[in-house]
Amino acid sequence: MNPAVAPALLFALVAAATPPALTASSPDGKAPPSASPAPLVSSVVDIDGIKKSMRGSRGRVLLVHFWATWCLPCLDELPVISQFARDMKPRGLDVLSLSLDDPQTAQARVSKLLTEQAPNLTPVIARFTDADQFIGSFDSRWEGTIPALFAYDPTGQRRGSHVGEASRHDLDQLIGPLLSPRAPTTGKKR
């Protein structure tokens, strides 16, 4: 493992549940037309919670995304991953985005950042006590460098990875072959 990354990873938390976006509502339960979504609330999940969430995506392609608010390449990559998640969801993609920030201090910061810059990503923080064990549970060759992406096919088999800042082209190369083909167009304008 990269020694520079280990201390930060020891304090990281993983959250796999995506809480629903909340909106302001009127007494009848309907959101007023001008209501804006409330900030997402970060959740914190351990390795068992992450694995459970990953099993919940069986039948769909899954991209597991590791990042942190203190990682500048991660911050540059967030909008790209968010847009990719939105664009590819209809083709069978789920994205589990896991912050490796300290869960004791970063929940509000992670939630705010994702609400503002990457609203299609899960506000989840990973929690673990043994960085080497955590890293090894995803890939024994991964040194813990972030950003990092791991692609899983619909059966849950890992089919590829990308370490370092990913471009849209990198994402298309990693995930594209695993996704359902685009729906055929009829040639009619709507």
Side-chain angles (χ1 to χ4, degrees):
M1 176 180 14
N2 181 339
V5 176
L9 289 178
L10 288 174
F11 296 106
L13 294 178
V14 177
T18 305
L22 303 174
T23 58
S25 62
S26 61
D28 64 1
K30 295 181 182 175
S34 62
S36 60
L40 298 172
V41 177
S42 294
S43 56
V44 177
V45 176
D46 61 13
I47 190 66
D48 291 334
I50 294 169
K51 296 297 183 177
K52 181 179 178 182
S53 183
M54 291 173 69
R55 284 189 302 274
S57 286
R58 294 275 163 86
R60 295 180 55 84
V61 174
L62 176 64
L63 180 64
V64 179
H65 169 232
F66 292 101
W67 69 282
T69 61
W70 45 262
C71 165
L72 294 179
C74 298
L75 298 180
D76 290 341
E77 181 188 69
L78 280 176
V80 175
I81 301 289
S82 181
Q83 184 67 41
F84 188 76
R86 187 183 69 78
D87 292 349
M88 296 301 148
K89 187 170 185 74
R91 291 185 54 200
L93 177 66
D94 287 344
V95 176
L96 176 57
S97 186
L98 302 165
S99 168
L100 298 181
D101 283 279
D102 180 349
Q104 299 294 321
T105 62
Q107 285 185 289
R109 184 172 58 246
V110 168
S111 295
K112 183 178 188 298
L113 180 68
L114 292 179
T115 298
E116 293 173 355
Q117 296 183 23
N120 300 300
L121 299 182
T122 54
V124 177
I125 300 176
R127 176 181 55 222
F128 52 88
T129 55
D130 184 330
D132 289 330
Q133 179 184 19
F134 180 81
I135 291 166
S137 69
F138 289 93
D139 185 343
S140 61
R141 295 168 298 189
W142 179 36
E143 294 182 351
T145 303
I146 57 173
L149 302 164
F150 296 92
Y152 296 84
D153 69 17
T155 68
Q157 296 298 310
R158 193 167 60 88
R159 296 296 180 191
S161 62
H162 181 90
V163 176
E165 186 177 344
S167 67
R168 177 61 185 247
H169 176 75
D170 295 328
L171 294 169
D172 287 334
Q173 294 294 310
L174 178 64
I175 298 295
L178 302 174
L179 295 172
S180 301
R182 297 182 197 272
T185 58
T186 60
K188 296 179 184 178
K189 292 186 179 181
R190 294 181 186 191

